[in-house]
């Protein structure tokens, strides 16, 4: 297969690129800074989002596109300017992917567009599956809704389109090192009251689901990229403590987080129980369906 990946130099994109290279596919990483990355026999870094980008010269016919591009949600406090940047980065990248598809004489068969469980809003009592069609009413839900609306336009060009709604991705980068650090310092504990749900997924299952979505003709529309065993924050923390052989005892007060992070504290203090119904119904087999083995693989490696 020939696969183009936007956002391919980041944490998730690097894992996905490595996976497809290992499988013998050709990968075209669309990036603003191609000169920073050496090409190989299977991976070509292509300058993108620039006026001089000429897809008809720099890209072959593609079998699929994976769109991961977008500004990090937790890179800084959510000012109004930051929120606009978070929204615009996803919209602009997805519209650029659509422009790319429009220029192709033979459009790719599938677009796998990153999305997020933030679509559902937050709740401590509801279970969300792909059958839940009403989005939440907070900032993240609005971002995801607009993001998916743009990606849906690819279907106008007969491109099968999947919105892969990522949960909290556990890996050697991303959220887990920050969550594990207090435990390593003997200061771990629940965040807030610890009752908020966390719908998590191991990085290897993110890779597996992207592969599954690309290759399974029955996958279209939203698909939850979460493990089938969400955990409350306090249970997650207790499991991190168990894996690291550290105590789980020192809570982080909600007021302190709200004061330090403002609206961005929703990422830590709120959550949602998201179940991967579509993936399971279609036969996806999780490498890490339960939390403790997932954490041991990452933290004890």
């Amino acid at each position: 297969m020939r696969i183009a990946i936007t956002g391919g130099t980041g944490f998730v994109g690097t894992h996905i690129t490595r996976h497809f290279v290992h499988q013998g596919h050709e990968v075209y990483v669309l990036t603003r800074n191609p000169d920073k990355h050496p090409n190989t026999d299977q991976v070509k870094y292509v300058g993108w989002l620039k006026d001089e980008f000429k897809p008809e010269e720099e890209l072959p016919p593609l079998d699929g596109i994976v769109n991961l591009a977008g500004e990090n949600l937790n890179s800084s406090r959510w000012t109004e300017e930051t929120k606009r940047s978070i929204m615009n980065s996803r919209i602009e990248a997805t519209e650029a992917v659509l422009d790319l598809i429009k220029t192709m004489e033979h459009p790719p068969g599938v677009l796998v567009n990153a999305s997020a469980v933030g679509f559902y809003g937050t709740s401590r009592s509801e279970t969300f599956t792909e059958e839940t069609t009403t989005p939440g009413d907070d900032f993240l839900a609005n971002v995801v809704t607009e993001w998916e609306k743009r990606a849906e336009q690819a279907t106008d060009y007969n491109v099968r389109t999947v919105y892969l709604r990522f949960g909290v991705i556990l890996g050697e980068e991303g959220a887990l090192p920050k969550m594990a650090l207090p435990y390593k310092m003997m200061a771990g504990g629940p965040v807030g009251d610890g009752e908020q749900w966390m719908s998590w997924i191991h990085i290897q299952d993110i890779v597996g689901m992207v592969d599954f979505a690309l290759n399974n003709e029955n996958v279209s529309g939203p698909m939850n990229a979460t493990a089938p065993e969400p955990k409350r924050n306090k249970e997650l923390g207790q499991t991190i403590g168990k894996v690291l052989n550290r105590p789980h005892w020192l809570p982080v007060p909600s007021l302190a987080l709200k004061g330090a992070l403002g609206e961005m504290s929703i990422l830590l203090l709120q959550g949602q129980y998201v179940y991967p119904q579509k993936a399971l119904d279609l036969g996806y087999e999780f490498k890490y369906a339960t939390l403790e083995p997932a954490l041991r693989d990452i933290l004890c490696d």
Side-chain angles (χ1 to χ4, degrees):
M1 290 177 67
R2 291 175 175 146
I3 304 162
I5 303 177
T6 74
T9 61
F11 165 47
V12 174
T14 300
H15 277 269
I16 291 171
T17 298
R18 189 182 305 137
H19 168 77
F20 286 122
V21 166
H22 182 72
Q23 289 195 330
H25 302 303
E26 295 178 28
V27 179
Y28 296 82
V29 178
L30 307 186
T31 174
R32 293 178 186 270
N33 301 296
D35 296 337
K36 292 184 177 181
H37 308 279
N39 292 331
T40 69
D41 289 341
Q42 289 178 253
V43 182
K44 181 180 179 182
Y45 293 87
V46 178
W48 187 54
L49 298 179
K50 298 180 179 180
D51 291 339
E52 59 267 29
F53 176 45
K54 298 180 180 179
E56 68 279 3
E57 297 178 9
E58 300 183 67
L59 292 173
L62 297 171
D63 297 292
I65 298 176
V66 180
N67 179 26
L68 305 171
E71 184 172 320
N72 196 323
L73 288 175
N74 57 7
S75 59
S76 62
R77 189 182 178 97
W78 286 357
T79 63
E80 289 305 311
E81 182 179 356
T82 302
K83 288 163 70 173
R84 283 194 297 272
S85 182
I86 288 170
M87 174 74 84
N88 291 341
S89 68
R90 285 157 175 76
I91 299 303
E92 290 170 5
T94 305
E95 289 181 342
V97 168
L98 291 169
D99 289 340
L100 173 60
I101 290 171
K102 293 175 187 177
T103 68
M104 293 180 167
E105 183 178 354
H106 302 289
V110 56
L111 166 63
V112 177
N113 204 79
S115 185
V117 296
F119 171 87
Y120 300 108
T122 62
S123 176
R124 296 194 176 193
S125 59
E126 292 186 63
T127 296
F128 299 107
T129 72
E130 295 86 355
E131 295 298 315
T132 306
T133 57
T134 303
D137 58 4
D138 57 32
F139 167 65
L140 289 179
N142 292 337
V143 169
V144 176
T145 300
E146 293 302 317
W147 199 6
E148 291 185 358
K149 281 181 181 177
R150 298 310 193 284
E152 185 181 19
Q153 295 175 33
T155 60
D156 294 340
Y157 302 90
N158 296 316
V159 177
R160 179 171 58 87
T161 304
V162 182
Y163 325 122
L164 207 54
R165 291 175 178 165
F166 292 175
V168 177
I169 301 171
L170 303 184
E172 73 281 2
E173 297 181 42
L176 183 58
K178 297 175 184 177
M179 290 187 284
L181 182 60
Y183 290 89
K184 293 180 178 180
M185 299 175 67
M186 307 294 286
V191 176
D193 63 8
E195 293 296 322
Q196 65 272 33
W197 287 105
M198 176 175 286
S199 296
W200 61 274
I201 185 168
H202 191 292
I203 182 62
Q204 289 189 27
D205 280 310
I206 286 289
V207 172
M209 280 202 174
V210 169
D211 188 310
F212 186 75
L214 280 172
N215 288 288
N216 191 323
E217 294 287 340
N218 294 319
V219 181
S220 63
M223 185 164 76
N224 293 333
T226 58
E229 188 189 80
K231 290 291 187 182
R232 293 191 187 272
N233 172 268
K234 63 182 180 182
E235 297 172 311
L236 172 75
Q238 289 164 353
T239 309
I240 292 175
K242 178 181 178 181
V243 168
L244 294 175
N245 196 25
R246 297 290 193 275
H248 171 84
W249 68 282
L250 186 63
V252 180
S254 298
L255 285 177
L257 277 176
K258 290 178 180 178
L261 302 178
E263 188 179 356
M264 194 171 73
S265 63
I266 191 175
L267 295 174
L268 298 174
L269 296 174
Q270 301 295 327
Q272 55 281 108
Y273 188 109
V274 179
Y275 191 73
Q277 190 68 58
K278 181 178 287 187
L280 292 172
D281 287 348
L282 292 173
Y284 179 76
E285 296 182 6
F286 281 86
K287 296 178 178 67
Y288 293 96
T290 55
L291 182 61
E292 186 173 334
L295 291 175
R296 289 195 180 280
D297 176 73
I298 300 162
L299 297 176
C300 300
D301 192 9

